[in-house]
Each structure stands twice: as C-alpha cells, then as structure tokens.
Amino acid sequence: MKKFQPQPGFVVQAYRFALDPNAAQEAALRSHCGAARAAYNWAVAWVTASWWQRKAEESYGVPEAELTQWRPWSLPSLRKAFNTAKHADLRFADWWADNSKEAYNTGLANAAAAFDNYAKSRQGKRRGRKMGAPRFKSKRKARLTCRFTTGTIRVAADGRHVTLPRLGTIRTHEPTAKLLTRVQAGTARILSATVRHERGRWFASFQVEVKRDLVRVARPEAAVGVDLGVKTLAVMADSTGEIRTVPNPGHYNQALKQLRRASRTVSRRQGPDRRTGRKPSKRWEKANAALGKLHHRVANLRQDALHKLTTAVTAEYGTVVVEDLNVAGMLRNRRLARRIADAGFGEIRRQLDCKTRQRHATRIVVADRWYPSSKTCSGCGAVKAKLPLHVRTYECDACGLVIDRDDNAARNLAALAAASTTGTGVAGDRDTPVVSKPRGADRKTRATRPRRKTETGRAGGAALPHQRQEEARDRPQAEALTL
C-alpha cells in the first residue's frame, strides 16, 4: 500500500476516541473484524498452497519447468483472486455481502504486508530478527480490528457521534470537539479510520492530515541531554549546567499486587483449551476481563506520564540529545527486563523524535550507541575502562570529580549538541580540539562466533554474514521463499 505523503505545512496525526455502540452496532463491528480475519486466513492459504504443491511435485521428480506456478501476494493480485473466489467459496458465499468491502481489504492488505516482510527478512533486506512465514489467525486470539479508507467517514456536528461505512452513526464515549473544530475550520482532512477492540472497549482512530503551525520553544538557544534510567526515569542536564531529575512512576510495580491477585483468580477458573476443545466458563471470562482492565489502566497511566515528559522537554529546549539505546537487547536481561519495559525507553525516543519535528521543528541529536556517556568524566574528559552498573557515583581518577553517575552522563549528552563545532562533546572540555579515544577504539569489540562442525566432525567455515546476504539477494525470489 502506497504511503501517504502530507502536503507542505501539513502533518499526519491520529485522533482516537472511545465508542459506545449498542448491541446491534457491536455485532456489526465484530462481524467486520471477523471478515478481515477470514480474508487474511484465505490469503495465507491461497498463497502457501502453491508452495506446498511445488514442494510435493519436487519430491516426485517433476522438472522445474513443469512445476506449479508461484502465486503472487501483492495486494492487487490478492484482491483480484479474492473477488473471484468469494462467490464460489462456501466460506464466503453466504455472508460476504453483509460487511463492507473495506473489511476484506484490511485482511488482504495485512496478508500482503506479512508476505513482503517475510520475503525481505529471508533475503536479508529487513532489519531486526528474522520473520517466519505468515500463519493463520486464531478466532479466539486474533485482535479485532478493521480499517476503512473509502466511503462515508466523518465526525458528526454534535461532537458526540462518528459515521463509518456500513456501520452507520455510532455514539462516542468522549467528545470529538478537538477533531471537529479543525474539520469545520478547514485545517484538517480525514484520510482513514480504524476500529479496534481493546480491554472490553471499542476505539475509533482517525488518520487526519492536519495543518500545524510550528510553535517556538521557550529556550531556543539551550540544549538538554536526557539520560534515561530505571531508578530515575530521566536525568536532564541543560547547557547552562542545570540538572533536573524526573522520578520513575513505576506504574506496573504499583499495580503488581492487584495484577497478581487477578491473575491468580483467572488461573483458578476453567479457561479455554484448544487441545480438548473446551470452552471458557463465564466466570473465567469475567475474571479475564477484570485482569485486562488492570493492564489497560497501567498502560494508560504510563502513556500519560511519557507524553507529559516529552511534551515538556520539546516545548522548552531548542536542542534535545538522547542516546541510541539497544532496548531489545536490554530486555534480554531477566533481572531488569520488567523495569525497563515499564519505563518505556523506546516510546520516549519515538515521542521525542516526532514532537521535535512536527510541533517545534527543533533539533534532536542522537548519541552513538557506543558513546561512553557514563564512563566519561564531564569535567576533564577522562574515560574509565570499566564502570559497573551498581556503582552509582562517578569518581574521576584524573581530576578528582565526584558526581552522580546519571548526572555525569546527562552533562556529557548535553555537551554533544555543540560537539561538532566547538569541542569533543565533553561537558568540561568544550573548546579543545577533537582527540581520539583511549587506544583509538570507539566501538565495542565484535564477539567472534564459534566455528560450527560439519557432518564429518571437522570444523567447517561457515559463510560470512555479508556473503550469505549476497547469495540470498542473487537467488531468485521463488527459491528464497521455499518452505
């Protein structure tokens, strides 16, 4: 699907409202989301059928030229094939006309994106962990969601209703004045709408093209370094030397006692079992809904706290310096994973990047992942060889500076804002020329992988990562996707 490009002076923003549908409207919402899931499963089955057929024919010795053709998974191809199959397929023949075409298009678009991500991952063109082939979505576990891109999508003039294709007018749980005012003034245009079921409540998210004027920050000449942590959520040091600390709310830890009690209640009820086909009891569904509400409340509290923090930072400083943290790697630490996830390091970085560009057009500087902000002395620039995590006070062996570990890191990050023009990026060494790091190293040494043994028992040299990627890139797409 082609990505929408906003006009100059406009930004794409989401407006999310909770819905209050009646019984008939909720049944229609569930029907549309179920139709999207059914279309997704059909697309996965239709594409992978040719994969398994070719695999079976190859086992019988069928020549390459006579094998079954690969089925394409682009959205136009899936839509054309689905329109042909929906009249003959018994799974869709009786009820496909009850829902909007956008419901089926949602499932087909998701399937096309899933196959694209899988192909890019297999060919080494996608960052992150390798993705497996798309799988069927379970009726019980699949998230209820549906996206509308065409048809009647608007906000009612009374500010308490929204209109969606085939679903009609649905009352909202909260006023829609913040979007209605912009639409009536001509400074906003609704592009699409997505309905989603979360924690027992329906939500409608509108993708809107909004005309937004940039707001001048309070201190455009000041720079701030933001050092994220677990004990304190953020330590901010600006270019004037002022240091501020934001405590970690720890919303999950505060609700942990209630979550454990609710989880224990759910485990003692008769839940679903796919192996035996057992359906959940009413008491299990009630207890599971209560547990979901607790998790939803924690998520809302965390989101509210992060938005307040990032909004305050981007509205005050002209330059914001953050670290390029490896959050996915940090979550592998079983001792700190829960607290790191509760702090929301990745979400803070995303919000800062978005708000600095779209609201204030301020400068954001991302420190290198291997920049030793905690090990570097903010007074003289000396770098410690090791600084364990349990050592919370930084003591410089060169100049004798004694400072809190997080305060020291925040000062060094703030100095990076002017490092490219005035110095080395060390808080106490702004006017000196750039010098190399100790021993000339500014990257962590790459760990060598052990050599794998071949079937004969000898150590065989495996292909290098870049060689494997080049081989997969040169290999035809069909062969790269063979199951």
Side-chain angles (χ1 to χ4, degrees):
M1 184 177 296
K2 186 177 180 181
K3 187 176 180 181
F4 175 79
Q5 297 293 338
Q7 299 295 329
F10 287 78
V11 297
V12 177
Q13 182 176 338
Y15 287 83
R16 189 170 185 241
F17 305 102
L19 302 178
D20 275 342
N22 55 34
Q25 292 171 342
E26 184 171 1
L29 286 169
R30 291 185 177 274
S31 178
H32 277 69
C33 296
R37 181 187 61 85
Y40 176 90
N41 289 342
W42 176 89
V44 172
W46 186 76
V47 173
T48 56
S50 63
W51 298 5
W52 294 112
Q53 180 64 25
R54 289 177 62 93
K55 191 176 183 65
E57 292 173 354
E58 289 176 354
S59 65
Y60 295 142
V62 178
E64 177 71 22
E66 300 178 6
L67 294 177
T68 302
Q69 295 295 326
W70 296 92
R71 287 178 175 175
W73 60 71
S74 62
L75 181 57
S77 301
L78 293 178
R79 188 182 295 150
K80 182 178 179 180
F82 180 78
N83 290 334
T84 304
K86 66 184 181 182
H87 298 282
D89 197 329
L90 297 179
R91 295 175 295 177
F92 302 99
D94 297 335
W95 54 270
W96 70 265
D98 297 341
N99 304 298
S100 171
K101 63 181 180 63
E102 294 294 327
Y104 305 102
N105 187 73
T106 299
L108 298 178
N110 292 341
F115 280 109
D116 284 338
N117 292 336
Y118 170 59
K120 293 178 181 179
S121 180
R122 287 293 299 268
Q123 297 171 3
K125 299 179 181 179
R126 189 178 189 275
R127 298 178 60 184
R129 295 186 300 177
K130 289 189 176 181
M131 298 188 62
R135 297 181 296 180
F136 296 120
K137 290 186 178 181
S138 170
K139 182 177 181 180
R140 183 174 62 88
K141 294 183 179 180
R143 180 170 295 168
L144 300 179
T145 180
C146 179
R147 186 167 184 255
F148 300 91
T149 57
T150 60
T152 305
I153 306 174
R154 64 171 179 261
V155 180
D158 60 355
R160 292 308 299 264
H161 293 82
V162 295
T163 302
L164 299 174
R166 293 296 297 271
L167 296 174
T169 303
I170 305 176
R171 181 174 174 83
T172 59
H173 182 74
E174 53 190 335
T176 60
K178 56 184 179 181
L179 175 58
L180 179 63
T181 303
R182 286 185 172 272
V183 172
Q184 293 177 345
T187 59
R189 182 169 65 95
I190 298 178
L191 304 176
S192 64
T194 303
V195 293
R196 185 174 180 177
H197 186 266
E198 289 183 2
R199 308 292 192 266
R201 181 174 289 278
W202 288 93
F203 293 90
S205 300
F206 294 89
Q207 187 184 29
V208 184
E209 183 186 22
V210 181
K211 183 179 181 181
R212 182 180 292 278
D213 297 328
L214 298 178
V215 180
R216 182 179 175 86
V217 297
R219 302 166 59 187
E221 72 286 347
V224 62
V226 182
D227 180 70
L228 302 179
V230 174
K231 184 177 180 181
T232 56
L233 181 60
V235 177
M236 299 180 293
D238 57 23
S239 53
T240 62
E242 181 183 358
I243 298 178
R244 286 186 289 179
T245 302
V246 179
N248 190 353
H251 300 295
Y252 187 84
N253 284 338
Q254 292 181 7
L256 191 58
K257 185 176 180 180
Q258 295 178 344
L259 290 171
R260 285 172 175 170
R261 184 183 296 112
S263 299
R264 191 181 304 115
T265 303
V266 172
S267 65
R268 291 174 177 174
R269 303 291 187 261
Q270 181 175 312
D273 191 346
R274 294 185 60 184
R275 296 172 298 178
T276 61
R278 185 182 64 187
K279 294 184 178 180
S281 64
K282 296 296 183 181
R283 300 180 71 205
W284 182 90
E285 293 179 348
K286 183 178 179 180
N288 192 53
L291 176 61
K293 287 183 179 180
L294 287 175
H295 279 291
H296 197 202
R297 180 177 180 274
V298 172
N300 290 339
L301 290 173
R302 181 188 301 113
Q303 193 76 358
D304 179 71
L306 297 185
H307 271 295
K308 289 180 179 178
L309 170 63
T310 55
T311 299
V313 172
T314 55
E316 182 176 357
Y317 300 99
T319 303
V320 181
V321 186
V322 294
E323 292 180 293
D324 184 19
L325 299 176
N326 182 17
V327 181
M330 297 167 67
L331 291 176
R332 296 191 185 100
N333 187 340
R334 62 183 182 89
R335 299 180 182 274
L336 298 176
R338 189 183 72 190
R339 297 182 180 274
I340 292 174
D342 188 23
F345 291 167
E347 180 66 12
I348 293 176
R349 164 76 183 280
R350 187 196 68 81
Q351 292 184 13
L352 287 175
D353 182 69
C354 177
K355 294 178 182 180
T356 52
R357 288 186 296 103
Q358 297 185 358
R359 296 187 181 183
H360 308 283
T362 55
R363 180 188 176 200
I364 182 169
V365 179
V366 180
D368 188 83
R369 178 166 295 184
W370 307 113
Y371 174 69
S373 59
S374 299
K375 298 179 181 179
T376 304
C377 176
S378 58
C380 65
V383 181
K384 283 182 174 290
K386 292 184 179 181
L387 187 64
L389 188 60
H390 68 274
V391 179
R392 307 310 304 171
T393 302
Y394 184 91
E395 298 181 3
C396 181
D397 299 331
C399 66
L401 176 66
V402 179
I403 188 174
D404 183 80
R405 174 196 183 109
D406 297 333
D407 296 351
N408 179 69
R411 291 184 60 187
N412 288 328
L413 291 175
L416 274 181
S420 59
T421 57
T422 61
T424 63
V426 179
D429 192 16
R430 297 179 181 270
D431 301 324
T432 57
V434 178
V435 296
S436 61
K437 295 289 190 302
R439 296 186 298 173
D442 58 354
R443 293 291 187 275
K444 184 178 179 180
T445 304
R446 180 179 300 175
T448 57
R449 299 178 60 182
R451 303 180 68 186
R452 295 180 299 179
K453 292 185 177 181
T454 60
E455 296 180 357
T456 57
R458 293 185 177 181
L464 297 177
H466 68 275
Q467 294 176 349
R468 292 197 297 267
Q469 292 180 6
E470 291 177 357
E471 293 174 0
R473 193 178 301 113
D474 297 338
R475 198 180 306 137
Q477 183 183 25
E479 295 181 3
L481 297 178
T482 303
L483 293 178

